[in-house]
Amino acid sequence: MKIGLRILLSYFLILGLAAWFVLNVFVAEVRPGVRATLEDTLVDTAQLLAQLVAEDVKNGDIQHLALLQRMQNYADRSVDVEISGVRKASLDYRIYITDAKGIVIFDTEQKDVGKSYARWNDVYLTLRGQYGARSTRTDPNDENSSVMHVAAPILDNNQSGQARKIIGVLTVAKATSTIGPFIERSQQKILQRSFWILLASLMIGIGISWWLNRSLQKLRNYAQAVERDDKVSLPKLGNNEIGELGRALESMRHKLEGKQYVETLMHTLAHELKSPIAAIQGSAELLSEDPPEAERSKFLNNIIEQNQRQKQLIDKLLELIKVEKQQRLSQITNINIVDLLDQVLIDFSDAIARKNLRIQFDVQAQTQTIQGDPLLLRQAIGNLIDNAIAFSPNGAAIRLHQQVDDTHFTLFIDDQGSGIPDYAIDKIFDRFYSLPRADAAKSTGLGLPFVREVISLHGGEVRLQNLAEGGVRVEVRLGLG
């Protein structure tokens, strides 16, 4: 499982558990919170009404009490209002009053007057100076039929002293089902908004995971390309910890590659220079013995030839080093491949004429352009033409032809030489490796490695294979501009 997906799943698991815990607690607290608010309101209402009716209850003229008559009228009224999206069509308070013995002397519903409520908690506790409240179901089997009763003592206002006598109890009752719609609406809103918060959090988590996974994938692809010795530059990773890690890896890569490259280069260069140096030293020692003029001229020519070989070796090696250390093209232009090939053939026109070679040019003028560095491509294709000329017998033909699809241009260079021996197929692109030429001095063995590096810089590939009829085919595949 990818690290980005692991982080996303871990993030969402933690977020989900936290959300579940918070929602459970929050939703679980909504109903008790609303019930507590209702109880608080009932307490205030009961205390207020108990104070208002105290004098008349003391006088005992309860049936002709104007205030109680108004309470009765209140119970008969109807309303039609909307509160926070919930419609209210009736008044839900029930008010009853009991005397000091717990006998109901007033009831807005006019159904329990004369009955004893002395054993109900709201009346029982209040008559004993405690807070009296109860919640009773009208239907024992239906929890939604619960009615909350909150009582307040009716005190003798004329009695002096701190502990005034309780002469009755006033209870205000309200069905808890009336607050159910508010609770459900609140819970629904909480759940809806929580859902959107979770969705937004998930999208944020996906975004972060995508960014992290994308950055890590870039870094991984870069590391794999370095492992394959591909031409690759460090991708843009931003100014963050991943970017810092990438830049540290890039710096470490340059240091390690530089050290290894220098060590390998010095070993191979020292090995390749041994032969011309030994030849120069041998000729110089023989010249010091004052040989005849003919031999003197021969030894002198050998010194000049070996010195030229050293110069050529160093020049070509410097060219190869330059492209090997280059991670990207510094100059990119549109190149007409026909014009480029014409220039290369002009460069080698003298060598072609000396061997009386025939050039079969089957590359079409309408071929699309390619993008790249014209100087490097001219030099690379020139190396391939030079090899074809060197290994072709006098009077042979060299054929240049093409294959084009929607995205790539492929150049083929066929010669009629002796071909590549089987033992050399896997070594042909190695640095300093070269095959003997029939009529030319030993090459530096740096031409084909140079070609491979240049074509690689252009995002292409180069291959060599023997033709069935004899000779070698070079295949250069490049992207179209």
Side-chain angles (χ1 to χ4, degrees):
M1 186 182 294
K2 292 185 177 180
I3 186 170
L5 183 58
R6 291 182 183 180
I7 292 174
L8 176 61
L9 292 177
S10 301
Y11 165 80
F12 195 63
L13 178 61
I14 294 172
L15 182 66
L17 289 174
W20 176 82
F21 178 76
V22 171
L23 284 176
N24 264 1
V25 172
F26 196 73
V27 171
E29 289 296 322
V30 169
R31 187 176 295 274
V34 175
R35 287 175 64 90
T37 302
L38 173 62
E39 185 174 352
D40 179 74
T41 303
L42 292 178
V43 169
D44 291 346
T45 303
Q47 293 290 341
L48 175 62
L49 293 177
Q51 181 65 27
L52 292 176
V53 304
E55 190 65 26
D56 295 310
V57 170
K58 178 183 178 182
N59 295 333
D61 191 16
I62 195 74
Q63 299 301 325
H64 299 92
L65 183 61
L67 180 59
L68 294 182
Q69 184 61 44
R70 293 189 184 99
M71 290 183 185
Q72 186 63 54
N73 294 338
Y74 148 81
D76 296 333
R77 292 184 65 178
S78 62
V79 293
D80 186 11
V81 297
E82 186 174 321
I83 304 173
S84 298
V86 178
R87 184 162 296 281
K88 180 177 177 65
S90 62
L91 299 174
D92 305 309
Y93 277 161
R94 177 193 176 194
I95 303 170
Y96 59 83
I97 300 174
T98 64
D99 60 17
K101 295 181 180 180
I103 304 299
V104 178
I105 57 177
F106 174 80
D107 184 0
T108 53
E109 293 186 355
Q110 298 181 354
K111 63 179 183 179
D112 287 340
V113 175
K115 290 185 178 180
S116 175
Y117 275 17
R119 299 183 64 85
W120 291 109
N121 271 347
D122 57 318
V123 177
Y124 178 82
L125 294 174
T126 303
L127 289 175
R128 283 157 180 75
Q130 302 175 34
Y131 170 60
R134 66 182 170 95
S135 184
T136 305
R137 294 182 182 181
T138 56
D139 182 356
N141 299 319
D142 183 7
E143 63 178 6
N144 294 321
S145 67
S146 179
V147 178
M148 184 177 292
H149 300 72
V150 175
I154 302 174
L155 303 173
D156 184 356
N157 293 328
N158 295 327
Q159 185 181 6
S160 60
Q162 293 183 349
R164 292 182 293 171
K165 181 180 179 182
I166 298 175
I167 58 176
V169 175
L170 184 143
T171 297
V172 180
K174 187 178 180 69
T176 56
S177 60
T178 59
I179 62 173
F182 297 99
I183 295 174
E184 292 175 2
R185 184 173 179 273
S186 298
Q187 290 179 337
Q188 186 177 12
K189 281 192 172 183
I190 291 169
L191 291 174
Q192 286 177 347
R193 291 175 183 177
S194 299
F195 168 78
W196 288 114
I197 291 173
L198 281 174
L199 183 61
S201 300
L202 177 60
M203 297 306 294
I204 293 172
I206 291 174
I208 294 174
S209 176
W210 174 83
W211 168 81
L212 180 62
N213 190 63
R214 181 169 171 267
S215 299
L216 291 176
Q217 187 63 39
K218 284 183 178 180
L219 195 58
R220 179 186 178 189
N221 292 340
Y222 169 73
Q224 290 175 339
V226 171
E227 184 181 11
R228 295 191 303 267
D229 289 330
D230 292 347
K231 294 282 187 182
V232 63
S233 299
L234 180 69
K236 294 181 179 179
L237 299 172
N239 295 322
N240 49 58
E241 289 81 357
I242 296 178
E244 291 177 1
L245 175 60
R247 288 186 287 274
L249 289 175
E250 174 83 346
S251 176
M252 181 175 66
R253 171 200 174 190
H254 286 318
K255 291 179 179 179
L256 291 175
E257 283 185 347
K259 181 179 179 182
Q260 182 181 11
Y261 188 82
V262 169
E263 289 177 353
T264 304
L265 182 63
M266 294 307 297
H267 283 301
T268 53
L269 183 59
H271 179 269
E272 291 299 318
L273 288 177
K274 281 181 180 180
S275 178
I277 289 173
I280 291 172
Q281 183 177 357
S283 296
E285 289 175 353
L286 290 172
L287 281 173
S288 66
E289 297 177 0
D290 195 19
E293 185 63 29
E295 291 186 5
R296 175 188 292 273
S297 178
K298 176 183 176 182
F299 295 146
L300 185 60
N301 287 336
N302 188 47
I303 291 174
I304 294 173
E305 182 182 334
Q306 294 300 327
N307 184 66
Q308 184 63 30
R309 181 185 173 191
Q310 289 183 98
K311 182 178 181 301
Q312 185 182 23
L313 180 66
I314 293 172
D315 288 343
K316 286 188 173 292
L317 186 59
L318 290 174
E319 291 175 357
L320 179 61
I321 291 171
K322 183 178 178 181
V323 295
E324 281 185 335
K325 301 305 290 183
Q326 192 172 339
Q327 297 299 326
R328 65 176 68 87
L329 294 173
S330 57
Q331 178 183 356
I332 300 177
T333 59
N334 289 328
I335 304 170
N336 185 291
I337 192 64
V338 174
D339 293 341
L340 179 66
L341 293 176
D342 284 339
Q343 292 170 356
V344 173
L345 292 176
I346 291 172
D347 293 340
F348 290 91
S349 57
D350 290 343
I352 293 172
R354 279 196 302 270
K355 298 189 72 170
N356 195 26
L357 299 175
R358 291 174 289 111
I359 302 298
Q360 298 177 1
F361 194 86
D362 297 330
V363 181
Q364 301 300 317
Q366 66 268 25
T367 299
Q368 299 183 50
T369 59
I370 59 175
Q371 287 190 332
D373 187 320
L375 183 60
L376 285 179
L377 281 178
R378 182 174 176 176
Q379 196 171 355
I381 295 176
N383 284 350
L384 297 175
I385 295 294
D386 183 42
N387 280 348
I389 294 171
F391 287 97
S392 294
N394 291 335
I398 297 176
R399 184 187 176 205
L400 281 69
H401 55 109
Q402 68 179 25
Q403 179 178 318
V404 183
D405 57 30
D406 293 338
T407 57
H408 289 86
F409 168 83
T410 304
L411 172 67
F412 299 100
I413 303 174
D414 298 347
D415 65 43
Q416 294 179 336
S418 57
I420 304 171
D422 292 340
Y423 65 83
I425 290 291
D426 296 332
K427 304 176 183 179
I428 201 68
F429 284 104
D430 290 352
R431 192 185 302 149
F432 299 112
Y433 186 82
S434 64
L435 293 172
R437 305 183 182 193
D439 56 352
K442 186 176 185 295
S443 71
T444 61
L446 297 173
L448 286 180
F450 178 84
V451 171
R452 182 179 59 182
E453 293 299 327
V454 169
I455 300 303
S456 177
L457 274 175
H458 286 77
E461 57 182 348
V462 57
R463 293 188 299 176
L464 275 71
Q465 60 181 347
N466 289 320
L467 294 171
E469 62 273 18
V472 173
R473 168 171 290 178
V474 180
E475 179 182 335
V476 180
R477 182 176 170 85
L478 296 167
L480 287 171

